[in-house]
Amino acid sequence: MEITFLGTASAYPTPSRGVSCVVLKHDNWCWMFDCGEGSQIQLMKSPLKPGKISKIFISHLHGDHCFGLPGLMCTISQNNARTEPVELYGPLGLRKFLRVSLELSRSQLGFDYIVHELQVLDSQLPADWMEWTVDHAADEKLHPNEKAGRLISPDENGVWQLFNDGKFHVQGVQLQHRVPSFGFAIQEAPQPGRFDVQAAKSLGIPPGPLYSKLKSGEAVVLEDGTKVDASEVVGPSRPGRHILVMGDTSDSSEVVKVGRGADVLIHEATLENALWEKCLENGHSTPAMAAELAQQLDVGQLILTHFSQRYRPLSYDAQEGEDSVKKLLEEAENVLGKGKVICAEDMFSYTVPMKKT
């Protein structure tokens, strides 16, 4: 399981840094979280394959998180032989944004897509929301490649249940921002324990299909009638990995409902601690805010992203009078300590290790 950051800047892309886009790769598929302007170019710079993207999660509808989406969908369509639809999840209005963009550009795709929208609650709306009335609802006329999606409402605990196939469970929580924004929790199902090849050989089990059955927890019967239980050759199961990806936010407190003990928390840190008033005014977080949340949740690794353009990337040789992301890293480390915080750069990849039994 690998997390790749295609864009780590806020507001707008530059020649040296893209805007918000994170890809989670697992085995033969990729899930994308946000798709700011230029994300398809960033994707082509990476070893990731556009055709492997099967799900896209949009945290909110600000341009630096979704302006790249129509172009990306067309890029995926090029030389793509996919048979399953691409599924998208995001706030109410995502369906209309994507459909109108594709329709007005008369873009037809080589695959189908489905948009599942998250119902927006009044508690997510800023005070000035009604000063500009916008119709977020899409009509019933689908794009030629569009299949009908769901409107997902929060459950009794205020959590949006987005997806669960028995292998992965994805949930959404509300965040506070200048427009409705969401964070996502990805929970992997428990993983089978380690298969002991030597133990299997000593029991006379031949390599092949029987190994696969035992690895999946099934008992097998050998040719001589001997029954072998999986527990005889497979160690204890391991907990699945747990990843949190937050959108833009000045208050991520709702993630405590789904995020305790996560392996990784990906959180924005737009401005330094000294600018916290401006940060809150614009619906964003400081390094200390993100680090304190990570501490509260007891996460294994905090990865910061979504940096203001006033901060040069870590790898940049900052000149006198210039600020770099290093300042934000140090402010978060003051809360969590060294080694617990990473400031992502474009094309940085982080491998989420398997958990121990």
Side-chain angles (χ1 to χ4, degrees), residues 287-309:
M289 291 167 63
E292 287 165 2
L293 176 67
Q295 193 172 59
Q296 180 185 2
L297 295 174
D298 191 27
V299 302
Q301 183 70 61
L302 171 63
I303 305 181
L304 299 179
T305 186
H306 197 269
F307 309 119
S308 168
Q309 301 289 6

Side-chain angles (χ1 to χ4, degrees), residues 4-262:
T4 299
F5 291 79
L6 297 182
T8 58
S10 65
Y12 56 89
T14 70
S16 61
R17 188 158 55 179
V19 284
S20 294
C21 187
V22 177
V23 175
L24 173 64
K25 181 178 182 295
H26 186 276
D27 291 338
N28 202 38
W29 54 252
C30 296
W31 292 353
M32 179 176 283
F33 294 83
D34 286 331
C35 187
E37 180 183 354
S39 291
Q40 59 179 319
I41 298 175
Q42 297 292 90
L43 184 62
M44 291 176 183
K45 292 178 182 178
S46 79
L48 301 168
K49 304 298 183 185
K52 298 295 185 183
I53 297 173
S54 59
K55 295 186 188 297
I56 302 173
F57 300 84
I58 301 296
S59 64
H60 64 292
L61 297 180
H62 273 157
D64 59 334
H65 293 257
C66 71
F67 278 175
L69 187 55
L72 175 73
M73 295 291 280
C74 294
T75 297
I76 295 175
S77 186
Q78 298 297 317
N79 302 315
N80 180 61
R82 67 179 308 112
T83 56
E84 296 296 319
V86 172
E87 292 192 270
L88 300 98
Y89 299 80
L92 183 68
L94 177 61
R95 181 178 294 126
K96 185 175 184 179
F97 169 75
L98 181 56
R99 185 190 297 170
V100 171
S101 298
L102 294 176
E103 286 181 342
L104 293 182
S105 60
R106 303 191 72 82
S107 299
Q108 295 203 35
L109 307 174
F111 60 91
D112 291 332
Y113 75 90
I114 304 170
V115 179
H116 304 295
E117 292 187 312
L118 283 63
Q119 179 189 2
V120 171
L121 304 181
D122 289 343
S123 57
Q124 295 176 267
L125 305 180
D128 62 353
W129 185 252
M130 297 308 297
E131 292 181 8
W132 182 9
T133 303
V134 176
D135 184 5
H136 290 71
D139 59 30
E140 300 301 319
K141 186 179 178 182
L142 303 179
H143 178 277
N145 299 112
E146 183 181 1
K147 303 298 182 185
R150 297 176 290 143
L151 175 64
I152 305 173
S153 300
D155 62 18
E156 64 276 7
N157 297 316
V159 176
W160 284 254
Q161 304 295 334
L162 307 186
F163 171 77
N164 192 344
D165 66 353
K167 297 179 180 178
F168 285 91
H169 183 196
V170 184
Q171 299 171 290
V173 294
Q174 63 171 303
L175 306 174
Q176 293 301 312
H177 189 46
R178 291 184 295 115
V179 297
S181 184
F182 290 89
F184 304 104
I186 304 96
Q187 176 65 65
E188 184 183 33
Q191 298 299 293
R194 296 186 182 279
F195 184 77
D196 190 335
V197 175
Q198 292 304 318
K201 287 181 178 179
S202 68
L203 291 170
I205 307 170
L210 294 183
Y211 277 23
S212 297
K213 289 185 177 181
L214 289 164
K215 288 177 182 179
S216 65
E218 297 180 45
V220 300
V221 178
L222 306 182
E223 289 184 359
D224 63 4
T226 302
K227 181 180 179 181
V228 180
D229 290 324
S231 60
E232 297 181 60
V233 293
V234 179
S237 63
R238 293 171 286 180
R241 289 160 287 189
H242 189 185
I243 299 169
L244 307 174
V245 184
M246 300 294 102
D248 287 6
T249 176
S250 58
D251 181 355
S252 308
S253 57
E254 287 287 299
V255 76
V256 300
K257 297 176 179 178
V258 296
R260 293 192 184 277

